[in-house]
Amino acid sequence: STGAVRMQPKAEELKFVTKNDGYVHIHPSSVNYQTRHFESPYLVYHEKIKTSRVFIRDCSMVSVYPLVLLGGGQVRTQLQHGHFLISLDDGWIRFQAASHQVAELVKELRCELDQLLQDKIRNPSMDLCVCPRGSRIIGMIVKLVTTQ
């Protein structure tokens, strides 16, 4: 009676934003439709459909480091208003880094991963877990993603 308790939004009230479509909603047939809270504000999805409004299906929450390391587009770093930013997709998605060094290390790790994957495409028989460079890069990514 003296205060309000914040309620989680209803499933149909949750909406997300895409670069091309604006607001989208999780489709009622999706497993995540009843999820009322995501630890990260970012989702990846497989299918987008438009009926009464734009819906996404087959979606999963993704946290920041996997998005930066495995998402499409180039990773850029910049200083803006005294904060170091890591940006994706021509600046549409941006994250604040703890320092310039962290931003540059994440960018460099992404470049190394991209190069490693190019090497694997050129040489499919290469075992990424056995080759020294591949195992170091993969080990760093696993440590970063599991300790974030």
Side-chain angles (χ1 to χ4, degrees), residues 126-144:
M126 180 174 73
D127 187 342
L128 297 178
C129 295
V130 173
C131 78
R133 182 171 163 262
S135 63
R136 275 195 319 270
I137 293 169
I138 292 169
M140 282 189 281
I141 291 171
V142 168
K143 186 174 183 178
L144 183 65

Side-chain angles (χ1 to χ4, degrees), residues 99-129:
S99 68
H100 177 69
Q101 183 180 17
V102 169
E104 288 300 322
L105 286 172
V106 169
K107 180 181 174 183
E108 185 63 29
L109 184 56
R110 169 64 186 267
C111 290
E112 289 292 326
L113 176 61
D114 288 347
Q115 184 60 52
L116 183 65
L117 293 174
Q118 287 295 322
D119 294 346
K120 177 68 174 171
I121 290 168
R122 282 191 288 276
N123 182 7
S125 63
M126 180 174 73
D127 187 342
L128 297 178
C129 295

Side-chain angles (χ1 to χ4, degrees), residues 25-82:
H25 302 266
I26 298 175
H27 195 273
S29 68
S30 175
V31 172
N32 282 325
Y33 181 70
Q34 292 300 323
T35 303
R36 296 169 67 174
H37 174 73
F38 293 94
E39 292 296 318
S40 171
Y42 303 102
L43 297 180
V44 293
Y45 61 90
H46 175 68
E47 184 178 27
K48 181 171 54 173
I49 59 171
K50 184 174 183 178
T51 55
S52 58
R53 52 190 171 175
V54 180
F55 290 99
I56 56 173
R57 284 200 285 216
D58 305 324
C59 60
S60 295
M61 184 205 70
V62 64
S63 55
V64 172
Y65 284 125
L67 184 61
V68 171
L69 295 171
L70 302 168
Q74 271 193 320
V75 174
R76 299 176 199 268
T77 58
Q78 62 187 26
L79 177 63
Q80 189 175 59
H81 305 297

